Amino acid sequence: EATITAIGLLLFLGCTGKSAQIPLFVWLPDAMAGPTPVSALIHAATMVTSGIYLLARLNFLFVLTPTTMGVIATIGALTAFFAATIAITQRDIKKVLAYSTVSQLGYMFLACGVGAFSAGVFHVITHAFFKALMFLGAGSVIHGMHEEQDIMKMGGLRKHMPRTFATFTMGWLAICGVPLFSGFFSKDEILWMSFSSSLGASWLWALGAATAVMTAFYMTRMYSLTFLGKERFQASQAHGHAHGAHDDHSHSHGHDDHGHGHGGGGVHESPSVMVLPLAVLAVLSVLGGYIGIPHMSWLEHWLEPIMAGHPSMAPGIGESMEWILMGVSVAGAFLGMGFALVFYRDLSRAQALQAKLSGAYKLLVNKWYIDEIYERVIIRPIQWLADALWKTLDIAVIDRIVMSFGRASQFAGQTLRVVQTGSIQTYALLFLAGLLGSVGYLIYGMAR
């Protein structure tokens, strides 16, 4: 069993790096700096979910060791919660979506860790729909705002970009877990399995449910600050003179005074070539969840040759509990959405709360200082070790050995060059001396 556990944990470590889980998640938000269509395809739907595919495909190996399953579920739940706390304070529209992706990947690992592999794969599918929609929608917003990515410098885009707004709304409702949208079915099944599975636990469900509330909050925050309320962009920004998404010199939310009366300036709706994919993904975000409706799931039936449909249930849990937990999760989603809509209607409230909780805000906006911790604990010591090895081993030993071969060859060449005079008489004399020496050696040998 120890060998199987080691194999499972090492495979999971690879999945942790590939699918951006604690502690190897820091690369994913940085990778979102690339083109938005690339983010939509690779980071929302294909590449980062390959770790989930590996877990689901090798489920027969992982279920042999409860230790590995417990580690997977714990890391997944913690990642989902941790990334959601960071997303609450981000200002870059793509960074919010990036940390949302990390959080949703945590949900998928949580499902696999409690044995609900089909639920994890189900969430891979629904997440691909609504997150690709939101990334492409964010790209449409950035294009319409002339490369502006700071949601604090947006607002009121609903009337300037109506088609982007309508499609983005579908993705927002899906990721928040509103009933009958795709995200509701997969997220609710994961929460139910984390509570009812024999490998699950109430604290795993609690972390997942708290993450669901935070997800609804920070996605509604982004949605509200981008599309609703008053315009906060200046006329100069609207005409393409924005300072860029990374202008973080000021974290003040008080930009309400700008842009009023300008009619949005140069802000415009994206062309059809950008909006049509959004419409397709919006339809899938609404209808995609119906492939996995509980107790009549086509997806589970399709996956049965590879994995069991449902993990074994913990004792003492009835079907009525499923409806209770569903109600709790839906109530949590609406609570997070409603609170964000009310809270960000007037940005002075957010500014006041930010000032009151400045310590917590600074911690979250700096992403728990994980990058700085990694820099000091891992990167700098490795750089110091590399420099030390370079000076003591590379220069002092290896370089000297290699250079000594060169010097030996140089010395031998200079020594032999003395003989190479270019004079025919000298060569003839040396030839005669060699011939006489050889003949003398033969005569000496025959005489003996």
Side-chain angles (χ1 to χ4, degrees), residues 26 42 163 172 243 257 275 278 292 309 313 334 396 400:
V26 292
I42 297 181
R163 295 188 295 175
W172 165 61
H243 300 297
D257 299 332
V275 176
L278 299 180
M313 303 287 283
F334 282 120
R400 287 182 179 179

Side-chain angles (χ1 to χ4, degrees), residues 65-126:
T65 162
T67 301
T68 304
M69 296 289 282
V71 170
I72 294 171
T74 301
I75 293 294
L78 291 176
T79 302
F81 183 85
F82 183 76
T85 62
I86 297 175
I88 287 175
T89 58
Q90 299 305 302
R91 296 170 55 135
D92 185 326
I93 188 170
K94 289 186 71 177
K95 277 288 175 70
V96 177
L97 295 175
Y99 282 104
S100 170
T101 297
V102 176
S103 182
Q104 297 302 308
L105 287 166
Y107 264 116
M108 300 172 202
F109 277 98
L110 171 60
C112 293
V114 298
F117 294 98
S118 60
V121 174
F122 184 24
H123 200 54
V124 168
I125 297 170
T126 59

Side-chain angles (χ1 to χ4, degrees), residues 263-327:
V267 177
H268 58 85
E269 179 62 278
S270 298
S272 296
V273 71
M274 295 177 71
V275 176
L276 285 177
L278 299 180
V280 174
L281 289 166
V283 172
L284 291 171
S285 295
V286 176
L287 302 178
Y290 291 93
I291 64 171
I293 295 177
H295 309 299
M296 44 189 280
S297 172
W298 169 84
L299 181 65
E300 284 184 8
H301 178 71
W302 186 66
L303 293 173
E304 274 178 2
I306 300 169
M307 63 191 74
H310 281 285
S312 57
M313 303 287 283
I317 295 179
E319 286 191 10
S320 60
M321 182 60 73
E322 183 175 2
W323 291 99
I324 294 172
L325 295 182
M326 183 188 298

Side-chain angles (χ1 to χ4, degrees), residues 28-300:
L28 183 66
D30 295 335
M32 296 298 174
T36 309
V38 176
S39 301
L41 174 64
I42 297 181
H43 295 140
T46 55
M47 187 184 78
V48 294
T49 53
S50 56
I52 308 298
Y53 173 80
L54 189 150
L55 288 184
R57 196 67 183 85
L58 298 180
N59 66 91
F60 59 88
L61 177 65
F62 290 101
V63 296
L64 295 176
T65 162
T67 301
T68 304
M69 296 289 282
V71 170
I72 294 171
T74 301
I75 293 294
L78 291 176
T79 302
F81 183 85
F82 183 76
T85 62
I86 297 175
I88 287 175
T89 58
Q90 299 305 302
R91 296 170 55 135
D92 185 326
I93 188 170
K94 289 186 71 177
K95 277 288 175 70
V96 177
L97 295 175
Y99 282 104
S100 170
T101 297
V102 176
S103 182
Q104 297 302 308
L105 287 166
Y107 264 116
M108 300 172 202
F109 277 98
L110 171 60
C112 293
V114 298
F117 294 98
S118 60
V121 174
F122 184 24
H123 200 54
V124 168
I125 297 170
T126 59
H127 175 260
F129 295 151
F130 59 70
K131 188 54 66 67
L133 167 59
M134 301 187 86
F135 266 117
L136 292 178
S140 177
V141 168
I142 293 166
H143 175 72
M145 286 289 296
H146 302 281
E147 309 309 313
E148 178 61 74
Q149 293 183 213
D150 189 344
I151 59 177
M152 291 299 173
K153 297 176 182 177
M154 298 181 187
L157 294 184
R158 173 175 55 180
K159 57 185 176 184
H160 300 294
M161 309 181 71
R163 295 188 295 175
T164 299
F165 166 72
T167 53
F168 200 94
T169 300
M170 299 299 104
W172 165 61
L173 293 173
I175 194 172
C176 288
V178 173
L180 305 183
F181 288 81
S182 61
F184 162 74
F185 293 104
S186 56
K187 189 181 293 187
D188 184 71
E189 185 172 0
I190 292 173
L191 289 174
W192 166 240
M193 290 300 169
S194 66
F195 185 87
S196 64
S197 167
S198 58
L199 295 171
S202 56
W203 70 269
L204 289 173
W205 173 84
L207 270 181
T211 303
V213 176
M214 285 193 291
T215 301
F217 176 81
Y218 69 71
M219 294 308 298
T220 305
R221 167 183 177 267
M222 182 188 72
Y223 178 80
S224 177
L225 291 175
T226 303
F227 292 104
L228 308 180
K230 300 176 182 177
E231 298 168 3
R232 295 183 302 280
F233 44 84
Q234 301 179 31
S236 60
Q237 289 176 318
H239 283 91
H241 301 295
H243 300 297
H246 302 291
D247 178 18
D248 284 324
H249 298 300
S250 171
H251 292 291
S252 172
H253 295 184
H255 297 293
D256 294 295
D257 299 332
H258 306 306
H260 304 317
H262 294 290
V267 177
H268 58 85
E269 179 62 278
S270 298
S272 296
V273 71
M274 295 177 71
V275 176
L276 285 177
L278 299 180
V280 174
L281 289 166
V283 172
L284 291 171
S285 295
V286 176
L287 302 178
Y290 291 93
I291 64 171
I293 295 177
H295 309 299
M296 44 189 280
S297 172
W298 169 84
L299 181 65
E300 284 184 8

